[in-house]
Amino acid sequence: MRIVTYNILEGGAARDDSPERLGAIGSLLRELKPDVLALVEAKGWTERGSRPLYAMEEALGMRGFLAASETGFHTALFIRHPLRPMRVEDDERHFYHGMLRVKFGTDERQAWTAGVVHLNPFSPDARRIETAHLVARVRCRPRTLILGDFNSPSDHDVERGLVNEATLDKLPSRYRLRYGWWKADGSALAKLERAGFEDHFRRLHEDAAAH
């Protein structure tokens, strides 16, 4: 099963509001042919009767689900046939950009659960609270995924020297506030690992410089 997660930035819109950028995103995703696709920053996708969501469904040949957020930066999950939805839930109360949880599969015995999140972009403390709610809502069990944008470095990257005071010092102040002013704060991802989840990108690509 091929799984893709993608922050499409501002709903995939171009700066001049032309459709080319979103079309290019759709073309890339068609080439990747994911079975499961998580998108964050689906901004504007509830407008015009959710037309952008349905257009992406048609472009990819997948079934889409969206959790609306008051921030406007919605989360979405798409699944490809023969996968079918069994349960769809959202949680806007405990997450800055909301959380989408979808149970899907071909039958109950082989069902998967995916949680899609876009954690708080401003505060490590807020991300720790969000992650506590996340592991309570999406239990670590076989065939369980957490996808999206965690807005957080990994402690493993800190240990390897990929993220340190020198790299933080080069960032604009708003990003230093995001990742930890004096020290990179990877506590959100660490909480997921303590709950039993694994970083599969790092597991499959140990030599990748960063992700």
Side-chain angles (χ1 to χ4, degrees):
M1 183 164 66
R2 176 169 289 185
I3 301 164
V4 173
T5 182
Y6 192 180
N7 182 329
I8 60 174
L9 186 63
E10 296 284 344
R15 290 185 178 180
D16 60 359
D17 292 327
S18 66
E20 281 78 8
R21 182 170 179 268
L22 187 57
I25 290 172
S27 296
L28 172 63
L29 294 173
R30 281 196 299 272
E31 291 179 13
L32 292 174
K33 296 181 180 178
D35 299 293
V36 178
L37 168 65
L39 298 180
V40 299
E41 290 207 18
K43 185 178 180 181
W45 282 33
T46 58
E47 298 175 2
R48 296 173 292 155
S50 298
R51 188 180 300 174
L53 175 69
Y54 300 138
M56 188 61 74
E57 281 186 321
E58 183 176 355
L60 301 179
M62 302 178 74
R63 177 83 181 274
F65 309 89
L66 185 139
S69 167
E70 286 187 358
T71 67
F73 291 89
H74 314 309
T75 55
L77 185 79
F78 295 78
I79 56 177
R80 189 179 301 280
H81 183 79
L83 300 174
R84 59 180 178 84
M86 299 174 181
R87 187 172 183 178
V88 180
E89 302 174 315
D90 63 8
D91 183 349
E92 188 177 357
R93 178 182 177 187
H94 298 108
F95 298 86
Y96 186 76
H97 290 307
M99 188 273 290
L100 175 63
R101 180 185 175 204
V102 181
K103 181 180 179 181
F104 60 91
T106 55
D107 60 67
E108 283 285 347
R109 293 173 299 174
Q110 299 295 323
W112 289 75
T113 297
V116 185
V117 292
H118 186 184
L119 298 184
N120 190 294
F122 305 113
S123 167
D125 290 338
R127 288 195 293 271
R128 282 191 288 272
I129 294 171
E130 288 178 315
T131 308
H133 287 292
L134 181 60
V135 297
R137 293 292 304 275
V138 185
R139 301 284 185 176
C140 184
R141 294 169 179 158
R143 296 186 294 278
T144 301
L145 306 167
I146 294 180
L147 308 168
D149 186 342
F150 303 105
N151 273 320
S152 175
S154 165
D155 280 343
H156 300 297
D157 290 335
V158 175
E159 292 168 1
R160 297 176 64 194
L162 299 172
V163 179
N164 51 43
E165 289 185 14
T167 57
L168 286 176
D169 195 48
K170 296 177 182 178
L171 295 174
S173 60
R174 66 182 184 277
Y175 292 113
R176 294 203 64 170
L177 179 64
R178 173 182 300 184
Y179 298 130
W181 191 255
W182 300 114
K183 179 182 178 182
D185 189 301
S187 57
L189 295 183
K191 186 180 288 290
L192 292 178
E193 291 188 334
R194 287 196 300 272
F197 290 97
E198 292 185 69
D199 183 342
H200 278 272
F201 184 97
R202 178 62 68 208
R203 184 176 180 182
L204 294 172
H205 305 280
E206 294 183 359
D207 297 329
H211 67 283

